[in-house]
């Protein structure tokens, strides 16, 4: 793929239901939580569902969610913690079945961008974890998958080759430059989809144990410009679609940065992004 | 913006606390019930005992007939209370708005306003679950919703283990397919009435208009109308950790309905609280007595104290009436709790030349008793009331 224009981008944030986004001005004053998705879909084309990490997705709830969004809108759903962080040896296959069942409405409606497999920092490239990951990917085969590593031991050509062979997306992460963390890369392992997650670069808060500190970061314009350039010149040329999500949700920084990056990708360099900026790329 | 309410529920709380003390009982059928009481009923049971047909409130004799081999442990209300205190302490780290049941492993937290500080409500719930597990080895079910009612239904749905997040705006659709017995507030009589109309699920009951509901349910109809639509504006009642209360507990080693023993115990508890009040130079303006029966049911009674007091005799006069008021059942009493609340400094300035009254004489007597006890121990001097009977505590 050589024409960046042929790549369809889905930009959004990790989660959308944050009360503090009202204070930051992203949602109008008095917005009820139940109306936040209605406001969100006017600005972005995709969202990462965080809550599926906390609880197994339920098909009826997914079905209702599908009905609320326009046809072109996509969901990226985080794989449930019982399959990534709290794996139980003899139970996880059952959990995969339950997860697949919960995802059914999204798949049927063509609204699933991918399943995001976010692995914990202690998930090193050891024999046990390698075997588990391979088995997990087998069990989830047939679904669009993106794998996010949080440990740098996975930076390995063999890993990337295997992901390529399986047509599984490697998540490019933007996170603090701390020892042991997966580095900032710009890699495409799946010609169907590239994926970037912006966690913020708050090195001080990263291991604080508090999400409000860990993801409290406002990307500087220069940082976003560098990413826009890499997306255009590297990632968009190699994949048919791209998912770009901002996880620095604290104080509404995620939607602000996401909109700015979208502007940069559209070459709207001047001025500040209004919240209701047209976003479709 | 809607509220964010977390419900944490430790299933079979009493069993969970007891099996933490005796890990060998974990994963096995277990009944918590008083023994040696002819009318004793099951206070709590493990999931495995539930599978055997044991139910809360079932007569122990019947439970024994169903399965004689299930071990039976006596309830330890003080232990459950201590465990609840630990859970509360962890919960207060996230919000001051914590409502909790009486030693039953249920906690509601309103985290609407603490999101900016601690992050999304689902994350707070998850972190609390992990803390409860690591610090107390208690594994709660948790749910997040916009009201206490919906959050409670959600935990009931996943019991005995799991979690449920009900997205804001999703309440009606979430409740629609559920059976009516999952809705908190609907009594057995209400459910029977609804069954008479062939209404078994929430969606079926929703077909009735408010006017139609009013025919069988009269004043309760508007409440039921709202409940089945997931509407519950009741707040999470704040509990102040530093609330000005003092309390004393007594657990009877043998459940009793002997009036003399109960009055004697009450007096001993009053002595205990009043001594602490006097040490802090405080008076109490209100009091509450909670009785826990053999079958786990409770009854309570409250009274205002006017004028406020820290005098054993004056408080006993009030509390003896409270005991009569709260003691409404023939079932034996297992546990007694006395709470003195609304603590305040003594308001009345003593007169310089006050005449000697009965009250002043009593106060002088109590001061003298305090001095003797401080020097020679509590048993050095006792009132006649406390010399009778046995109140051995367990």
């Amino acid at each position: 793929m050589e024409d960046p224009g042929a790549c369809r981008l889905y930009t959004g944030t990790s989660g959308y239901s944050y009360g503090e986004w009202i204070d930051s001005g992203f949602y109008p004053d008095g917005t009820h939580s139940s109306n936040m998705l209605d406001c969100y879909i006017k600005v972005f084309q995709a969202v990462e569902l965080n809550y599926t990490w906390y609880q197994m997705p339920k098909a009826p709830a997914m079905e209702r969610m599908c009905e609320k969004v326009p046809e072109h809108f996509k969901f990226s759903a985080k794989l449930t913690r019982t399959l990534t962080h709290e794996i139980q040896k003899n139970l996880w296959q059952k959990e995969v079945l339950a997860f697949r069942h919960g995802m059914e409405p999204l798949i049927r409606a063509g609204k699933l961008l991918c399943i995001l497999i976010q692995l914990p920092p202690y998930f090193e490239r050891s024999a046990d974890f390698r075997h588990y990951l391979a088995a997990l990917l087998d069990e989830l085969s047939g679904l669009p998958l993106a794998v996010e590593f949080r440990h740098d031991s996975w930076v390995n050509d063999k890993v990337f080759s295997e992901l390529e062979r399986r047509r599984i997306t490697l998540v490019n992460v933007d996170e603090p430059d701390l020892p042991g963390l997966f580095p900032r890369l710009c890699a495409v392992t799946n010609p169907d989809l590239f994926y970037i997650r912006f966690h913020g670069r708050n090195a001080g808060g990263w291991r604080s144990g508090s999400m409000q500190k860990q993801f409290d970061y406002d990307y500087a314009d220069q940082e976003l410009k560098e990413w826009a350039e890499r997306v255009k010149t590297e990632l968009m040329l190699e994949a048919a679609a791209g998912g770009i999500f901002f996880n620095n949700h604290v104080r509404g920084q995620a939607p602000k940065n996401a909109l700015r990056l979208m502007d940069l990708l559209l070459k709207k360099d001047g001025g500040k992004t209004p919240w209701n900026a047209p976003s479709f790329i | 913006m809607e509220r964010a309410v977390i419900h944490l529920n430790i299933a079979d709380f009493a069993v969970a606390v007891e099996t933490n003390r005796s890990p060998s009982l974990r994963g096995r059928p277990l009944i918590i019930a008083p023994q040696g009481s002819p009318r004793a009923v099951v206070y709590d049971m493990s999931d495995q005992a539930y599978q055997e047909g044991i139910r809360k409130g079932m007569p122990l004799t019947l439970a024994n007939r169903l399965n004689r081999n299930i071990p039976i442990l006596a309830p330890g209300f003080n232990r459950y209370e201590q465990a609840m205190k630990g859970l509360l302490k962890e919960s207060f780290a996230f919000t001051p708005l914590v409502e909790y049941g009486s030693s039953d492993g249920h906690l509601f937290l309103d985290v609407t306003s603490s999101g900016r500080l601690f992050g999304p409500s689902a994350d707070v719930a998850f972190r609390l679950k992990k803390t409860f597990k690591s610090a107390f080895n208690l594994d709660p079910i948790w749910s997040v919703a916009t009201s206490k009612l919906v959050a409670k239904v959600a935990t009931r749905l996943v019991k005995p283990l799991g979690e449920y997040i009900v997205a804001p705006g999703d309440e009606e659709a979430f409740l629609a397919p559920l059976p009516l017995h999952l809705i908190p507030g609907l009594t057995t009589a209400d459910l029977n009435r609804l069954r008479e109309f062939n209404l078994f699920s929430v969606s079926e009951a929703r077909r009735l208009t408010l006017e139609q509901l009013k025919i069988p349910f009269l004043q309760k109809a508007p409440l039921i109308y709202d409940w089945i639509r997931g509407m519950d504006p009741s707040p999470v009642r704040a509990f102040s950790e530093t609330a000005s209360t003092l309390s004393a507990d007594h657990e009877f080693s043998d459940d009793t309905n002997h009036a003399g023993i109960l009055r004697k115990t009450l007096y001993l508890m009053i002595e205990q609280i009043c001594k602490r009040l006097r040490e802090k130079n405080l008076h109490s303006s209100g009091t509450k007595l909670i009785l826990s029966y053999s079958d786990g049911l409770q009854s309570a009674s409250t009274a205002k104290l006017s004028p406020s007091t820290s005098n054993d005799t004056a408080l006993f006069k009030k509390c003896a009436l409270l005991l009569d008021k709260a003691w409404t059942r023939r079932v034996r009493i297992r546990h007694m709790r006395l709470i003195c609340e609304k603590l305040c400094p003594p308001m009345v300035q003593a007169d310089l030349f006050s005449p000697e009254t009965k009250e002043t004489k009593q106060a002088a007597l109590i001061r003298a008793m305090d001095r003797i006890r401080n020097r020679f121990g509590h048993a050095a001097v006792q009132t006649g009331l406390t010399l009778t009977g046995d109140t051995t505590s367990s």
Side-chain angles (χ1 to χ4, degrees):
Chain A
M1 199 163 310
E2 284 171 9
D3 176 16
C7 178
R8 177 85 180 254
L9 286 189
Y10 295 92
T11 312
T13 57
S14 304
Y16 61 86
S17 180
Y18 298 100
E20 56 190 322
W21 289 11
I22 298 173
D23 303 340
S24 68
F26 179 66
Y27 292 128
D29 272 349
T31 306
H32 279 222
S33 312
S34 49
N35 298 328
M36 284 180 177
L37 186 58
D38 299 337
C39 297
Y40 181 91
I41 57 176
K42 289 176 188 158
V43 181
F44 295 113
Q45 317 85 37
V47 70
E48 266 182 7
L49 293 178
N50 276 331
Y51 85 89
T52 54
W53 184 82
Y54 293 102
Q55 75 162 358
M56 192 56 75
K58 313 261 188 305
M62 282 292 170
E63 196 136 19
R64 290 193 288 273
M65 198 170 261
C66 280
E67 288 163 9
K68 287 182 185 171
V69 299
E71 211 165 314
H72 67 268
F73 195 88
K74 299 271 184 194
F75 293 96
S76 164
K78 236 187 228 183
L79 192 63
T80 311
R81 62 191 156 84
T82 46
L83 291 164
T84 54
H85 292 61
E86 300 165 7
I87 307 151
Q88 284 185 285
K89 252 189 176 178
N90 304 318
L91 289 175
W92 71 267
Q93 279 100 338
K94 272 187 188 171
E95 297 281 298
V96 171
L97 286 178
F99 188 84
R100 274 180 176 275
H101 178 69
M103 284 290 115
E104 199 57 46
L106 283 189
I107 299 164
R108 227 179 19 243
K111 293 195 183 305
L112 180 65
L113 181 64
C114 69
I115 305 295
L116 173 61
I117 305 170
Q118 184 198 298
L119 298 163
Y122 55 80
F123 198 95
E124 292 179 29
R125 194 167 167 257
S126 63
D128 282 353
F129 282 144
R130 273 169 49 207
H131 290 146
Y132 173 73
L133 183 58
L136 178 67
L137 297 178
D138 286 343
E139 289 289 324
L140 289 166
S141 65
L143 294 171
L145 303 175
V147 181
E148 178 184 350
F149 297 108
R150 289 269 170 104
H151 196 275
D152 62 1
S153 56
W154 294 92
V155 184
N156 186 299
D157 281 342
K158 282 184 187 168
V159 174
F160 298 167
S161 308
E162 181 60 12
L163 291 176
E164 272 170 22
R165 190 185 70 76
R166 289 174 180 255
R167 289 178 88 95
I168 290 171
T169 301
L170 172 79
V171 175
N172 297 298
V173 284
D174 187 290
E175 53 194 10
D177 197 7
L178 289 170
L181 278 186
F182 201 80
R184 257 168 250 148
L185 298 178
C186 214
V188 178
T189 55
N190 177 7
D192 299 329
L193 180 75
F194 77 82
Y195 205 103
I196 315 172
R197 297 192 83 208
F198 289 90
H199 295 301
R201 299 178 188 179
N202 185 352
W206 189 258
R207 286 172 179 143
S208 65
S210 159
M211 281 174 82
Q212 293 304 96
K213 287 179 187 159
Q214 187 177 4
F215 302 119
D216 186 4
Y217 188 79
D218 191 8
Y219 280 94
D221 218 41
Q222 187 52 38
E223 290 166 343
L224 294 175
K225 276 179 182 162
E226 283 166 20
W227 265 111
E229 197 54 33
R230 296 169 88 182
V231 170
K232 277 192 280 195
T233 58
E234 296 176 48
L235 301 174
M236 287 175 79
L237 297 178
E238 291 184 47
I244 301 176
F245 294 95
F246 283 77
N247 193 21
N248 51 333
H249 61 81
V250 181
R251 289 181 282 136
Q253 290 160 147
K256 186 184 122 188
N257 293 161
L259 283 171
R260 180 64 187 139
L261 183 65
M262 282 160 61
D263 279 355
L264 292 168
L265 289 168
L266 284 168
K267 290 184 182 170
K268 288 184 194 169
D269 281 351
K272 222 178 154 189
T273 307
W275 287 121
N276 57 355
S279 55
F280 195 79
I281 298 177
Chain B
M1 190 179 162
E2 291 94 338
R3 290 180 302 157
V5 176
I6 295 171
H7 182 216
L8 292 148
N9 172 12
I10 295 150
D12 311 326
F13 182 62
V15 170
V17 174
E18 296 298 345
T19 50
N20 273 348
R21 293 180 76 221
S22 315
S24 60
L25 295 170
R26 191 162 293 135
R28 293 170 52 192
L30 177 67
I31 293 173
I32 309 288
Q35 287 166 291
S37 163
R39 278 202 300 261
V41 295
V42 175
Y43 175 71
D44 201 0
M45 70 275 143
S46 65
D47 200 40
Q48 292 76 12
Y50 184 88
Q51 304 301 331
E52 300 270 343
I54 313 295
R55 298 288 182 270
K56 276 185 190 175
M58 175 186 273
L60 192 56
T61 45
L62 176 59
N64 268 328
R65 275 207 298 278
L66 283 173
N67 191 333
R68 199 161 273 284
N69 299 320
I70 300 178
I72 300 166
L73 283 184
F77 294 107
N78 289 343
R79 282 194 292 278
Y80 311 149
E81 180 132 358
Q82 280 307 314
M84 276 303 283
K85 276 184 184 165
L87 303 180
L88 271 171
K89 200 178 161 196
E90 296 298 337
S91 306
F92 281 127
F94 291 97
T95 173
L97 295 177
V98 183
E99 185 179 319
Y100 61 99
S102 165
S103 307
D104 60 357
H106 286 265
L107 292 153
F108 289 100
L109 288 82
D110 188 329
V111 291
T112 314
S113 307
S114 47
R116 285 169 195 81
L117 202 56
F118 300 112
S121 45
D123 193 59
V124 171
F126 179 66
R127 281 159 71 184
L128 270 172
K129 176 208 161 72
K130 281 203 297 187
T131 307
F132 285 8
K133 179 78 181 139
S134 61
F136 309 107
N137 200 25
L138 296 170
D139 198 5
I141 310 161
W142 59 270
S143 66
V144 179
T146 53
S147 68
K148 287 196 289 182
L149 179 128
V150 177
K152 192 162 187 179
V153 174
T155 51
R156 282 180 172 182
L157 207 56
V158 293
K159 203 177 173 183
L161 264 180
E163 61 285 315
Y164 209 118
I165 301 166
V166 184
D170 217 15
E171 296 84 1
E172 275 207 59
F174 161 70
L175 292 177
L178 303 181
L180 282 162
H181 69 80
L182 287 177
I183 305 293
L186 288 180
T187 62
T188 312
D190 297 335
L191 292 168
N192 287 339
R193 209 71 218 276
L194 287 160
R195 261 182 226 124
E196 284 170 16
F197 294 104
N198 257 340
L199 300 171
F200 297 94
S201 75
V202 171
S203 57
E204 286 166 353
R206 276 192 201 151
R207 287 188 208 134
L208 298 183
T209 63
L210 180 57
E211 277 60 40
Q212 287 169 327
L213 270 175
K214 274 181 183 165
I215 298 166
F217 293 108
L218 306 169
Q219 297 99 320
K220 202 177 177 183
L223 282 176
I224 296 176
Y225 186 85
D226 285 350
W227 290 345
I228 57 181
R229 283 163 180 78
M231 289 189 273
D232 169 30
S234 65
V236 172
R237 297 199 184 281
F239 171 86
S240 168
E241 202 178 9
T242 55
S244 56
T245 62
L246 277 179
S247 64
D249 291 85
H250 185 90
E251 193 160 318
F252 296 97
S253 55
D254 291 321
D255 301 354
T256 184
N257 52 13
H258 188 287
I261 293 177
L262 290 169
R263 284 166 65 85
K264 173 186 167 182
T265 308
L266 182 62
Y267 195 86
L268 286 168
M269 287 160 71
I270 287 169
E271 279 190 331
Q272 202 184 322
I273 291 181
C274 283
K275 185 166 186 290
R276 279 151 67 197
L277 282 171
R278 289 191 295 273
E279 282 167 358
K280 293 175 181 221
N281 195 27
L282 289 171
H283 275 190
S284 168
S285 316
T287 183
K288 184 176 186 180
L289 183 70
I290 304 169
L291 303 177
S292 302
Y293 295 92
S294 295
D295 53 9
L297 291 182
Q298 288 188 333
S299 60
S301 191
T302 54
K304 271 188 186 173
L305 298 173
S306 182
S308 60
T309 186
S310 63
N311 183 301
D312 304 9
T313 324
L315 189 58
F316 181 70
K317 217 169 150 185
K318 273 277 182 192
C319 289
L321 294 173
L322 274 189
L323 177 62
D324 293 340
K325 215 166 121 190
W327 191 10
T328 52
R329 305 176 69 213
R330 292 178 63 197
V331 182
R332 289 175 189 230
I333 291 167
R334 154 81 31 91
H335 182 268
M336 197 188 255
R337 175 156 218 235
L338 181 68
I339 303 166
C340 280
E341 47 200 7
K342 295 174 194 156
L343 306 188
C344 55
M347 294 297 286
V348 184
Q349 191 178 353
D351 291 333
L352 262 182
F353 305 105
S354 57
E356 202 171 59
T357 62
K358 195 179 168 190
E359 285 75 29
T360 55
K361 279 183 184 172
Q362 267 177 5
L365 175 65
I366 286 165
R367 277 198 300 275
M369 286 171 76
D370 278 347
R371 281 198 296 274
I372 295 168
R373 282 171 171 167
N374 285 341
R375 198 161 165 199
F376 301 107
H378 187 86
V381 55
Q382 290 182 63
T383 58
L385 181 68
T386 61
L387 288 171
T388 53
D390 174 33
T391 56
T392 321
S393 65
S394 58

